[in-house]
Amino acid sequence: MIEWNRDVASVIQISLVVIFFILLLTKRNKLGKGIIYFMIAGGIVACLDTFNFTMHIFTNQFNSIPIYTVGVNFGVFLLFFLYFRRILELEKSKKINLIIIIIFIASYISFAVFSENFFNKFPFKFYFIEVILLTVNIFLVLRETFNSDKILNIKSYYPFWACIGLMSIYLGVAPLLIISNTAIQLMNINIFFIILFIVNVIGYSILIMGIFFAKNINIKK
C-alpha cells in the first residue's frame, strides 16, 4: 500500500509537469522573452521524470541519479540561468548573471572531476551551490520587476510567476534534502515523501497558474 501511494503521488506530479510543458508550448507567444529556454527545461524535466518513473516500475534497482545529475542539476539549471539572462534588462544585472553562469559551470566541472561518486549519489553540496545561484538570479529579476513599471502588471508578467514557482520547488525542497540521509530517524519516511510531494505540487501549480494569467507585456523601466 505504501509503495502504491508513492506511485500515485509520482503519477500526479509527472502529470503536472507534463501539463506545465504542454501549456508552455501552446501559450508560448504570450509568455515573454526567452521562454524557449524555460520551455526546453520543462520538456527535459517532463521526459526525465517520465523515464525514471517507468524504469522504476520495471526494476527497483534502477539508479536515476546519474540522469538527474546531468539532465536537471546541469542542463535544466543552465537553461534557467539563460532564461533569466534573456529577461534581465540592466547591464549590471546581466554581468552578475554571466558571473553566476561561469561559477555554475566551473563548479559543476570541479565536482564532476574531484567529487567521488558525483554521478552515483545525489550531489547535495553542488545542489545547494546551484540553489544559491538560482536564488541570486531570482533576486535580480524580482528587483528589476519591482523597480519598474512591470509592477503595475505583475499578474500578467510571467517571469514573476516563474521566479515564485522555482523558489517554491527548489528552495522548498532544500530543507528536505538536508535531512534526507537521516529522514528515517528524524521523521516518518512517509511524511518526508508527502511533504516533498506537496512542495512540488505547489510549485508547479504556481507555474501553471501563471501561464493563464500571463500576457506578453513589454514595458520599459
Side-chain angles (χ1 to χ4, degrees), residues 12-22 42 45-46 49 204 208:
I12 294 173
Q13 182 176 319
I14 292 171
S15 298
L16 278 175
V17 177
V18 172
I19 291 171
F20 167 61
F21 172 65
I22 293 174
V45 174
D49 282 357
Y204 280 105
I208 290 172

Side-chain angles (χ1 to χ4, degrees), residues 4-44:
W4 181 85
N5 287 335
R6 288 190 197 172
D7 288 345
V8 170
S10 296
V11 170
I12 294 173
Q13 182 176 319
I14 292 171
S15 298
L16 278 175
V17 177
V18 172
I19 291 171
F20 167 61
F21 172 65
I22 293 174
L23 287 172
L24 282 177
L25 193 62
T26 56
K27 306 288 186 180
R28 63 186 181 277
N29 291 331
K30 69 173 187 176
L31 299 180
K33 299 183 294 184
I35 198 61
I36 183 64
Y37 296 114
F38 213 65
M39 190 167 57
I40 295 173
I44 292 174

Side-chain angles (χ1 to χ4, degrees), residues 36-84:
I36 183 64
Y37 296 114
F38 213 65
M39 190 167 57
I40 295 173
I44 292 174
V45 174
C47 290
L48 291 184
D49 282 357
T50 302
F51 175 77
N52 290 336
F53 178 70
T54 302
M55 293 301 296
H56 169 71
I57 292 176
F58 289 104
T59 172
N60 290 325
Q61 303 301 319
F62 176 70
N63 183 10
S64 62
I65 292 178
I67 296 175
Y68 189 91
T69 300
V70 176
V72 177
N73 281 357
F74 181 75
V76 170
F77 270 80
L78 179 59
L79 288 166
F80 287 155
F81 296 153
L82 292 174
Y83 170 67
F84 290 132

Side-chain angles (χ1 to χ4, degrees), residues 89-157:
E89 296 178 353
L90 298 179
E91 192 62 32
K92 181 179 179 180
S93 297
K94 289 188 175 182
K95 288 180 180 179
I96 295 175
N97 170 270
L98 179 59
I99 293 173
I100 288 174
I101 292 176
I102 293 173
I103 293 174
F104 170 74
I105 295 175
S107 298
Y108 186 88
I109 294 174
S110 298
F111 274 95
V113 172
F114 299 109
S115 180
E116 187 177 357
N117 295 320
F118 181 71
F119 295 102
N120 294 317
K121 294 183 179 180
F122 188 83
F124 292 99
K125 293 181 180 179
F126 176 74
Y127 179 82
F128 290 115
I129 290 175
E130 64 182 359
V131 166
I132 291 173
L133 297 177
L134 178 68
T135 304
V136 175
N137 265 309
I138 290 174
F139 169 77
L140 293 175
V141 173
L142 293 180
R143 185 182 64 177
E144 285 195 8
T145 300
F146 285 100
N147 287 319
S148 71
D149 289 342
K150 294 185 181 74
I151 189 64
L152 302 175
N153 297 276
I154 193 71
K155 184 178 176 181
S156 302
Y157 188 55

